[in-house]
């Protein structure tokens, strides 16, 4: 071994250490980056889930209700119409006063009444309507607690905080403690959250109307964007000549995918509502706007899926004398379909989470009733979240997080479906 | 434009790419030696030129394919034999940059005439490709597809009959008769290629073009396909492109030798392999290049 080679080995060994150290350092940076990403994700999820989970339970107070005809303001043997207009809130107030006879001052009385949700009146009305024999009797009834009372029962407000800064006052806390000690409070799954529309009262607000609005909007989006997108992709990929015009179209489609979504909202407002005079706040217009937004995604992914189909399948079909159209519809599209569906589902998931363009076309309304058709005023889940996040009441904070959880659930579901389809496609 | 400008419909056959034509300008006026024309021609090509954009892939080729004969086309990679084969059923049409001039006739009718329908042409001139390419559907559907789109069967029973007969002729029936509803892609390579042959003959073509049908197969599967080609020539006219000279010698009655886009020599297979007349042919079949 010559001296020269010996020195080279030395040099290489010396540099090796440095190189390996650099590699280690780089790996460490990478791991830190991944860790940071996960940490942020975890914090976000933890925050949302911990805030949102209480919204899925509802608190009830057991109140000894005296259905006196006097308080209800109805004559004995009153008809249904009279019963439905009776003074149920008066009955509840009187019953509460009877349970807490020490309450005397006006402001304390108001605080006492504020422990029960105004939704309880309608419960009572329904009970009386289904059984008019209740009039004149006493009965223990579970009444829906007001969101402020519920927040104390859920442990979200503590006595230690200064009384002036909280909505639930000390006296109310005393009453609630007393009720709880008597076993007159109860938790139940919050079915109202899934069955009701928006409300001014947090304990009565639900996402049903927003879900239905999202459903109708996405339905319109899918019905428009899927066929148009797939056929555009098929035409561009299989039939269109390659020339300047198709090149221009291709560039524009790619650019369209990067247009800020609010621009589509402005377009929807100007064209569909102001020019074509379609109804404002309707899922129809929302769906059209979102389909414009989703179209580029669907076209681009569909073209990629069609391109990925092996040329040998086309040759085989053409070789037995299939026409171009038969080749495309019998052989190319079925093979490309999982890819096309994957792209479409991801596009639809984008549309489901979109709020900005819908604000522009007025889908930001306060919607109590679920829309029954695509032309009824409606809102969608992300906009509902936006509305609740904007509300000052404490009860809406948990509703906001709960609605985000529902939205994320749907998004995860749609993405899982996309992944499933892609996996099935790959193993073929 | 260059040779990479292809659509989703398959690239330009690779042999066209390596073609360097400047080397052989001296051969511009080359006249094919041997007997390119026959009396009972099923298909006949006259002065055919094929271009991929500005690449001249086939030069002035005139060649007949005799009825119920097997014509083998051999030659080194890039000689244009696959390109010539694909121009016989206008499969080249799907490559936008490909242009064909000259005259190719099937039963005396010009297949490049403006009123010639390519769908009808490809029903009459079937094709088997280099790589087995069954549809990702059941074995039955693979064979039934052609007859179905052409409306050849009027009942389920008739279709079953066509499928069985085609699979029998492709000597695949005994192996697959119990698994007709299984996907065709699940068969072995040799079986897949026989399935592709069954698919091609199911529409009862008059001519079958085979583009190196055994290049992806093992020797046993190859032997079965060769046997099959021998049987098929009773009913069909066959043109086969092959890289294996033994295969050409075994299955064909006539052999055509292509070199750099030109048809150098055509003749009786026995004569080509025992007494080649052109130096290039001799060099190729004796293995001096190619």
């Amino acid at each position: 071994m010559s001296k020269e080679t010996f020195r080279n080995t030395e040099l290489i060994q010396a540099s090796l250490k440095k190189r390996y150290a650099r590699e280690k350092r780089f790996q460490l940076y990478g791991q830190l980056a991944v860790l940071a990403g996960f940490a942020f994700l975890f914090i976000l999820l933890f925050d949302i889930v911990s805030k949102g989970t209480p919204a899925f339970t509802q608190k009830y107070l057991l109140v000894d209700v005296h259905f006196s005809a006097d308080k209800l303001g109805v004559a004995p043997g009153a008809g249904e119409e009279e019963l439905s207009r009776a003074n149920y809130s008066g009955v509840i107030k009187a019953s509460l006063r009877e349970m807490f006879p020490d309450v005397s001052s006006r402001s304390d009385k108001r605080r006492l009444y504020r422990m029960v949700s105004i939704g309880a009146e309608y419960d009572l009305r329904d009970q009386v309507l289904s059984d008019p024999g209740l009039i004149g009797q006493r009965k223990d009834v579970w009444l829906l607690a007001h969101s402020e009372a519920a927040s104390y029962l859920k442990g979200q407000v503590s006595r230690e905080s200064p009384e002036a800064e909280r909505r639930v006052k000390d006296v109310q806390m005393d009453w609630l403690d007393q009720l709880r000690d008597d076993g007159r409070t109860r938790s139940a799954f919050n079915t109202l959250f899934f069955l009701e529309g928006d409300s001014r009262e947090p304990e009565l607000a639900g996402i049903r109307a927003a879900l239905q609005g999202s459903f109708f909007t996405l339905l319109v989006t899918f019905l428009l964007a899927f066929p148009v997108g797939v056929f555009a992709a098929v035409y561009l990929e299989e039939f269109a000549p390659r020339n300047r015009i198709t090149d221009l179209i291709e560039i524009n489609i790619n650019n369209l995918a990067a247009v800020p979504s609010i621009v589509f909202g402005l377009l929807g407002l100007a064209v569909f509502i102001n020019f074509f005079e379609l109804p404002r706040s309707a899922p129809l217009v929302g769906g059209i706007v979102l389909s414009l937004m989703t179209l580029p995604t669907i076209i681009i992914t569909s073209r990629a899926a069609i391109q990925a189909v092996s040329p040998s399948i086309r040759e085989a079909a053409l070789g037995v004398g299939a026409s171009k159209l038969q080749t495309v519809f019998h052989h190319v599209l079925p093979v490309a379909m999982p890819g096309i569906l994957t792209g479409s589902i991801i596009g639809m998931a984008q549309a489901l989470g979109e709020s900005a363009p819908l604000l522009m076309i007025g889908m930001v309304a306060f919607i109590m009733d679920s829309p029954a058709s695509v032309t009824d005023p409606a809102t969608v889940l992300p906009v509902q979240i936006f509305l609740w996040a904007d509300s000052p009441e404490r009860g809406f904070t948990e509703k906001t997080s709960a609605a985000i959880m529902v939205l994320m659930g749907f998004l995860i579901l749609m993405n899982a479906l996309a992944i499933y389809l892609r996996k099935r496609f790959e193993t073929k | 434009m260059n040779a990479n400008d292809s659509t989703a419909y398959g690239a330009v056959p690779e042999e066209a790419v390596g073609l360097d034509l400047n080397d052989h300008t001296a051969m511009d006026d080359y006249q094919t030696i041997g007997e390119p024309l026959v009396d009972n021609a099923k298909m006949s090509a006259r002065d055919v030129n094929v271009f991929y954009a500005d690449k001249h892939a086939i030069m002035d080729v005139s060649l007949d394919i005799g009825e119920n004969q097997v014509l083998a086309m051999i030659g080194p990679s890039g000689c244009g034999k696959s390109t010539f084969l694909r121009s016989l059923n206008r499969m080249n049409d799907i490559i936008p940059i490909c242009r064909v001039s000259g005259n190719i006739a099937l039963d005396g009718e010009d297949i490049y005439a403006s009123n010639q329908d390519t769908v009808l042409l490809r029903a009459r001139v079937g094709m088997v490709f280099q790589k087995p390419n069954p549809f990702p559907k059941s074995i039955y559907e693979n064979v039934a597809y052609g007859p179905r789109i052409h409306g050849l069967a009027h009942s389920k029973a008739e279709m079953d009959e066509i499928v069985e007969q085609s699979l029998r002729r492709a000597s695949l029936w005994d192996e697959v008769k119990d698994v007709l509803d299984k996907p065709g892609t699940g068969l072995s390579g040799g079986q897949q290629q026989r399935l592709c042959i069954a698919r091609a003959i199911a529409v009862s073509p008059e001519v079958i073009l085979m583009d190196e049908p055994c290049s992806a197969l093992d020797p046993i599967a190859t032997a079965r396909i060769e046997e099959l080609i021998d049987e098929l020539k009773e009913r069909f006219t066959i043109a086969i492109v092959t890289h294996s000279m033994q295969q050409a010698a075994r299955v064909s009655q006539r052999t055509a030798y292509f070199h750099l886009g030109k048809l150098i020599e055509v003749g009786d297979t026995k004569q080509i392999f025992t007494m080649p007349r052109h130096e290039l042919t001799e060099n190729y079949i004796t293995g001096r290049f190619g």
Side-chain angles (χ1 to χ4, degrees):
Chain A
M1 201 160 56
S2 73
K3 222 172 176 179
E4 185 105 338
T5 25
F6 180 69
R7 266 199 49 219
N8 277 351
T9 318
E10 285 271 272
L11 283 173
I12 292 170
Q13 266 176 350
S15 78
L16 268 183
K17 244 182 214 167
K18 256 191 190 168
R19 281 192 257 174
Y20 286 141
R22 200 175 290 165
E23 193 174 316
K24 278 238 170 76
R25 241 184 355 256
F26 183 77
Q27 284 198 14
L28 186 74
Y29 294 152
Q31 284 160 0
L32 282 177
V34 171
L35 215 67
F38 267 107
F40 283 127
L41 181 69
F42 181 77
I43 291 169
L44 179 76
L45 285 181
F46 180 79
D47 182 60
I48 291 171
V49 171
S50 62
K51 272 191 192 148
T53 315
F56 293 107
T57 52
Q58 197 82 290
K59 291 289 177 184
Y60 289 87
L61 307 176
L62 190 59
V63 177
D64 182 22
V65 179
H66 183 203
F67 295 91
S68 78
D70 192 28
K71 276 275 177 309
L72 281 169
V74 293
E80 205 162 284
E81 194 175 332
E82 197 182 346
L83 285 179
S84 65
R85 278 188 284 113
N87 182 11
Y88 294 100
S89 94
V91 167
I92 293 173
K93 284 173 183 170
S95 306
L96 284 170
R97 276 201 308 275
E98 277 177 43
M99 285 178 78
F100 297 95
D102 305 338
V103 180
S104 52
S105 80
R106 245 181 110 84
S107 61
D108 274 359
K109 273 186 191 161
R110 209 177 303 129
R111 282 177 187 150
L112 181 64
Y113 304 153
R114 226 179 134 75
M115 299 215 307
V116 171
S117 165
I118 57 161
E121 297 171 23
Y122 306 109
D123 274 353
L124 282 190
R125 184 190 65 192
D126 292 344
Q127 286 195 19
V128 170
L129 281 177
S130 65
D131 178 16
L134 277 173
I135 294 171
Q137 293 189 9
R138 301 184 79 91
K139 191 187 172 197
D140 272 346
V141 182
W142 286 106
L143 295 180
L144 183 61
H146 192 275
S147 69
E148 289 162 12
S151 76
Y152 175 69
L153 290 173
K154 286 175 186 172
Q156 290 163 333
V157 205
S158 95
R159 268 177 198 274
E160 271 80 66
S161 57
E163 193 177 8
E165 283 177 19
R166 49 179 150 84
R167 295 249 185 160
V168 198
K169 304 299 175 193
D170 283 347
V171 273
Q172 286 175 304
M173 289 181 174
D174 293 339
W175 298 327
L176 286 167
D177 282 345
Q178 193 185 328
L179 283 172
R180 181 160 52 194
D181 294 344
D182 294 348
R184 298 185 85 88
T185 64
R186 152 180 103 105
S187 293
F189 182 72
N190 189 352
T191 47
L192 288 179
F193 185 63
F194 295 97
L195 297 178
E196 292 297 319
D198 200 2
S199 166
R200 297 278 177 228
E201 305 302 320
E203 74 274 9
L204 295 175
I207 54 168
R208 166 94 184 269
L211 271 181
Q212 209 141 318
S214 273
F215 172 77
F216 280 128
T217 309
L218 281 193
L219 189 72
V220 172
T221 306
F222 183 79
L223 290 181
L224 283 175
F226 185 73
V228 173
V230 172
F231 280 105
V234 166
Y235 177 75
L236 286 173
E237 206 50 51
E238 301 281 341
F239 295 97
R242 297 285 145 111
N243 56 28
R244 264 159 195 242
I245 298 172
T246 44
D247 283 349
L248 195 74
I249 291 173
E250 185 167 348
I251 291 168
N252 276 301
I253 290 172
N254 291 338
N255 285 342
L256 221 53
V259 169
S261 57
I262 194 143
V263 175
F264 289 106
L266 281 169
L267 178 96
L269 179 65
V271 176
F272 302 122
I273 293 182
N274 290 346
F275 186 74
F276 287 110
E277 299 188 344
L278 291 175
R280 195 173 277 272
S281 305
L284 177 67
V285 182
I288 295 173
V289 167
L290 289 183
S291 68
L292 289 179
M293 201 195 79
T294 319
L295 257 181
T297 313
I298 294 184
I299 294 178
I300 291 169
T301 50
S302 299
R303 287 186 69 174
I306 291 168
Q307 242 166 22
V309 176
S310 158
S312 70
I313 288 183
R314 296 163 218 256
E315 285 188 336
L318 291 171
V320 294
S323 68
K324 191 113 179 226
L325 194 72
Q326 287 171 325
T327 305
V328 170
F329 279 89
H330 297 168
H331 301 287
V332 177
L333 268 189
V335 176
M337 205 32 99
I340 292 174
L341 285 179
T342 304
S344 305
I345 290 169
I346 287 173
M348 298 304 287
Q350 264 175 14
L352 173 63
E354 198 56 70
S355 58
L358 302 181
L359 301 182
M360 300 303 300
I361 55 156
M363 288 187 82
V364 66
F366 176 77
I367 305 294
M368 292 178 67
D369 300 318
S370 297
S373 77
V374 293
T375 49
D376 287 349
T379 189
V380 293
L381 258 183
V383 176
Q384 184 69 73
I385 291 167
F386 167 78
L387 285 170
W388 282 346
D390 223 22
S391 302
E393 286 92 344
R394 202 205 144 78
F396 280 121
T397 317
E398 58 178 42
K399 297 280 159 173
T400 307
S401 296
I404 291 174
M405 284 166 72
V406 172
L407 180 63
M408 281 200 305
F410 276 107
L411 290 177
I412 290 170
L413 215 68
M414 288 169 85
N415 280 295
L417 187 67
I419 291 168
Y420 167 75
L421 286 172
R422 194 158 53 220
K423 279 273 181 301
R424 224 186 57 174
F425 180 48
E426 275 165 1
T427 52
K428 229 185 217 171
Chain B
M1 289 268 234
N2 58 47
N4 295 328
D5 276 7
S6 53
T7 58
Y9 281 99
V12 173
E14 61 177 84
E15 53 177 53
V17 179
L19 207 57
D20 183 4
L21 300 154
N22 300 328
D23 282 0
H24 289 265
T25 42
M27 286 173 63
D28 260 1
D29 297 323
Y30 181 79
Q31 285 292 316
T32 305
I33 56 174
E35 306 89 37
L37 312 184
V38 294
D39 295 336
N40 62 337
K42 179 74 186 171
M43 292 195 84
S44 54
R46 295 288 179 272
D47 303 318
V48 171
N49 285 278
V50 181
F51 302 84
Y52 291 115
D54 50 1
K55 275 210 169 80
H56 200 167
I58 296 279
M59 287 169 238
D60 293 322
V61 169
S62 295
L63 179 62
D64 280 350
I65 306 171
E67 191 153 13
N68 291 35
Q69 264 192 351
V70 179
L71 169 76
M73 291 183 260
I74 59 171
S77 292
C79 69
K81 53 196 188 308
S82 283
T83 298
F84 180 72
L85 189 78
R86 292 166 68 93
S87 60
L88 293 177
N89 70 342
R90 296 184 58 173
M91 276 311 265
N92 280 335
D93 285 17
I94 59 180
I95 303 169
I97 57 168
C98 181
R99 197 157 51 79
V100 180
S101 74
N103 185 293
I104 301 177
L106 171 64
D107 285 337
E109 280 171 48
D110 183 7
I111 63 167
Y112 280 88
S114 55
N115 61 354
Q116 173 67 53
D117 191 275
T118 51
V119 168
L120 178 64
L121 173 68
R122 290 182 194 139
R124 292 177 67 191
V125 183
M127 191 155 189
V128 176
F129 297 86
Q130 188 169 354
K131 227 183 105 210
N133 56 354
F135 300 130
K137 297 175 194 257
S138 72
I139 293 169
Y140 183 94
E141 270 309 307
N142 261 283
V143 182
Y145 181 69
R148 177 166 305 138
I149 57 171
H150 296 305
L152 300 185
H154 302 290
S155 65
K156 174 88 173 76
E158 228 173 302
M159 183 63 86
D160 290 347
E161 176 64 30
I162 291 177
V163 170
E164 178 175 345
Q165 204 176 40
S166 306
L167 286 169
R168 274 190 198 284
R169 285 199 182 133
S171 65
L172 188 62
W173 175 252
D174 292 332
E175 291 158 63
V176 300
K177 63 182 176 207
D178 300 320
V179 290
L180 287 175
D181 54 342
K182 292 268 163 34
T185 42
L187 296 173
S188 74
Q191 288 174 324
Q192 285 190 20
Q193 195 62 300
R194 275 180 280 148
L195 177 62
C196 292
I197 292 173
R199 180 177 67 192
I201 58 186
V203 290
S204 313
E206 294 153 48
V207 182
I208 302 176
L209 309 174
M210 296 185 175
D211 190 358
E212 298 181 38
C214 303
S215 66
L217 305 183
D218 66 51
I220 296 167
T222 301
R224 295 208 60 171
I225 303 266
E226 285 177 9
E227 265 170 49
L228 180 57
I229 291 171
D230 210 44
E231 289 163 24
L232 289 176
K233 76 167 190 290
E234 307 293 325
R235 296 173 168 276
F236 308 100
T237 299
I238 295 172
I240 177 171
V241 164
T242 175
H243 267 299
S244 153
M245 280 168 283
Q246 290 87 336
Q247 185 170 74
R250 280 192 298 261
V251 301
S252 72
Q253 281 73 55
R254 287 169 76 234
T255 299
Y257 174 69
F258 284 76
H259 188 89
L260 290 175
K262 295 196 178 67
L263 178 56
I264 303 296
E265 184 171 352
V266 197
D268 192 67
T269 298
K270 220 170 257 168
Q271 175 257 313
I272 292 279
F273 282 95
T274 51
M275 288 180 298
R277 286 154 66 182
H278 196 282
E279 196 193 342
L280 284 169
T281 320
E282 188 179 351
N283 286 346
Y284 183 72
I285 62 168
T286 52
R288 245 163 270 171
F289 70 87

